[in-house]
Amino acid sequence: MLTQSLAGLTSFLSYFAAAIGLLILFVLFYVLITPYREFALIRQGNPAAAASLSGAMLGFVLPLASAIAHSVSLPDMAVWGSVALVVQLSVYLVARLLLPDLARDIPAGKVATGVFLGALSLAVGILNAACMTY
């Protein structure tokens, strides 16, 4: 009985490791394209930075979870996870056009900007995930 229950453990570990790797990659790319240092700002108690980065991560993991659930193989999941990564990084670039002061507002701790950016990332992530139900 336990052997049957654990039959999928190797697949679980493979998908989970790949997903964590993609999440780390997303966060690394995200903090590289932003002109401010999110982790330093969060350590200083900046709620705008925390809201925006949290929303970006959630906006990425939603379509990543959909890719995991609907993929036919690990490489298929990696391809669609990479698509999600590009889409979610693009959200930040579009937000910079919508909010020209974004690069100053987040380090200044303007919560409204951080919440909006986080919510925008989450909204696009939900749409992104829904589109990955192929």
Side-chain angles (χ1 to χ4, degrees):
M1 175 104 160
L2 183 60
T3 306
Q4 284 179 327
S5 294
L6 295 177
L9 185 60
T10 303
S11 292
F12 164 80
L13 293 173
S14 298
Y15 276 82
F16 190 72
I20 294 297
L22 282 167
L23 177 58
I24 290 168
L25 195 62
F26 171 76
V27 171
L28 287 174
F29 282 142
Y30 188 86
V31 299
L32 285 175
I33 67 169
T34 60
Y36 40 84
R37 300 290 156 239
E38 284 86 350
F39 290 109
L41 292 170
I42 291 168
R43 278 189 219 98
Q44 294 168 5
N46 184 313
S52 65
L53 183 58
S54 296
M57 288 188 303
L58 290 171
F60 172 67
V61 299
L62 282 167
L64 181 58
S66 182
I68 292 166
H70 296 98
S71 65
V72 296
S73 65
L74 191 59
D76 185 47
M77 182 277 287
V79 167
W80 285 103
S82 298
V83 169
L85 188 145
V86 171
V87 169
Q88 290 308 119
L89 291 176
S90 299
V91 171
Y92 175 77
L93 300 175
V94 169
R96 293 271 316 251
L97 298 174
L98 296 172
L99 302 169
D101 295 332
L102 178 69
R104 286 190 303 266
D105 288 351
I106 298 292
K110 293 191 176 179
V111 177
T113 302
V115 169
F116 177 78
L117 180 55
L120 182 63
S121 296
L122 190 55
V124 172
I126 291 168
L127 293 174
N128 195 358
C131 292
M132 289 191 184
T133 57
Y134 47 93

